[in-house]
Amino acid sequence: MNPVKVISVTSGKGGVGKTNVSVNLACQLARRGRRVLLMDADLGLANVDIMLGLRPKWNLSHVLEGKCSIDDILVEGPNGISIIPAASGIKKMAELGPDQHASIINALSTLNDDYDVMVVDTAAGISDSVVSFSQASHYVLVVVTDELTSMADAYALIKVMNRDAGIRRFKILRNMVNSHDQARDGFERLNEVAQRFLDVQLEYAGFIPQDRFLNKADAAQKAVSEMYPGSDAALAFRALAENVDKWSLPEGPSGKIEFFVDRMIAEPSQAGAAM
């Protein structure tokens, strides 16, 4: 059984397009023939279903309550991706502890279908759930815009994940920028500070440009990759998916809880996360 590549998409603050990145990355990976599972891990303020105009009957809150299995809540999204919806506006879901996050992670091992890639759209900011799901992933993709608050909060997020979860490698995606040069410049500024004060390795994952078609797709509750496949943003997401496809699974034991406990890694000796 093939291992599943798990990518946690996160950000230091809200409003930087994190969920848009998660959805469109999933769509473009599916376009490349990958079997993709997209999990909405913003447990109390879910918005993947809203962004795609979906109305799931069940969500993760019902799984935790024992009302259904995780297979029961799966809904199909664009390009055939499978989506695990979370709850929206349920305070207790936003306040789950590490044990309950682990229960969700372990529940994923009961899924009947096999996947090539799992994209986890975490909550924004620093919380137990963000740390738990990022710690359980092979790769942590941090979405950063050019706003000073986004840069500062991304640095704080990386610092906390490194200190509290031992995560050392982070992929940085620059979003809502106007050019490659602007994207690289922002990455280098963040990387310079991280190298000076933290024991981490930041890697440039690319950029998504400002694009009016993104707003039009959002208004129509569609993924821009589906609605405007030839747009600048969709082409950038396609390039990101090509990049992600090249990320190899890390080797060596990690000692961390991992998604798809029995299925994530084909052999126990290969178990590893990029920590």
Side-chain angles (χ1 to χ4, degrees), residues 170-187:
F170 298 85
K171 302 285 188 177
I172 306 299
L173 179 71
R174 301 278 284 119
N175 196 26
M176 304 180 192
V177 295
N178 297 315
S179 68
H180 170 75
D181 288 344
Q182 182 186 5
R184 288 292 314 198
D185 178 66
F187 167 77

Side-chain angles (χ1 to χ4, degrees), residues 174-179 207-211 214 232-234 236-237:
R174 301 278 284 119
N175 196 26
M176 304 180 192
V177 295
N178 297 315
S179 68
F207 77 99
I208 310 300
Q210 296 270 16
D211 189 344
L214 265 172
D232 289 344
F237 283 121

Side-chain angles (χ1 to χ4, degrees), residues 199-218:
D199 180 25
V200 297
Q201 180 181 348
L202 305 189
E203 299 174 7
Y204 180 69
F207 77 99
I208 310 300
Q210 296 270 16
D211 189 344
R212 63 187 178 90
F213 287 106
L214 265 172
N215 295 331
K216 294 180 71 172
D218 286 347

Side-chain angles (χ1 to χ4, degrees), residues 17-30:
K18 173 185 54 62
T19 299
N20 225 315
V21 168
S22 299
V23 167
N24 283 283
L25 172 58
C27 288
Q28 292 291 357
L29 286 168

Side-chain angles (χ1 to χ4, degrees), residues 91-260:
K91 189 171 182 286
K92 66 179 182 180
M93 288 297 291
E95 298 173 345
L96 297 180
D99 288 346
Q100 290 158 308
H101 297 145
S103 295
I104 293 173
I105 290 169
N106 284 314
L108 293 168
S109 66
T110 68
L111 282 167
N112 291 324
D113 284 338
D114 295 321
Y115 297 95
D116 300 307
V117 185
M118 181 174 184
V119 178
V120 184
D121 181 41
T122 73
I126 302 167
S127 67
D128 285 343
S129 72
V130 174
V131 173
S132 294
F133 290 116
S134 296
Q135 189 177 40
S137 302
H138 290 113
Y139 290 99
V140 179
L141 180 66
V142 182
V143 181
V144 188
T145 69
D146 240 17
E147 293 181 9
L148 289 177
T149 52
S150 175
M151 298 282 280
D153 289 346
Y155 175 83
L157 174 73
I158 291 167
K159 180 179 179 180
V160 168
M161 285 193 182
N162 177 239
R163 181 191 66 203
D164 295 350
I167 302 173
R168 295 188 62 250
R169 293 178 60 193
F170 298 85
K171 302 285 188 177
I172 306 299
L173 179 71
R174 301 278 284 119
N175 196 26
M176 304 180 192
V177 295
N178 297 315
S179 68
H180 170 75
D181 288 344
Q182 182 186 5
R184 288 292 314 198
D185 178 66
F187 167 77
E188 294 299 343
R189 282 185 282 127
L190 179 62
N191 190 42
E192 181 181 353
V193 178
Q195 293 304 311
R196 185 182 302 173
F197 298 108
L198 305 176
D199 180 25
V200 297
Q201 180 181 348
L202 305 189
E203 299 174 7
Y204 180 69
F207 77 99
I208 310 300
Q210 296 270 16
D211 189 344
R212 63 187 178 90
F213 287 106
L214 265 172
N215 295 331
K216 294 180 71 172
D218 286 347
Q221 291 184 289
K222 300 284 186 181
V224 71
S225 296
E226 175 191 27
M227 191 169 184
Y228 301 108
S231 64
D232 289 344
L235 295 176
F237 283 121
R238 186 172 75 180
L240 174 63
E242 291 173 358
N243 189 1
V244 167
D245 244 356
K246 297 174 184 175
W247 297 352
S248 59
L249 287 174
E251 296 180 356
S254 68
K256 309 294 184 185
I257 299 171
E258 292 184 339
F259 287 118
F260 292 84

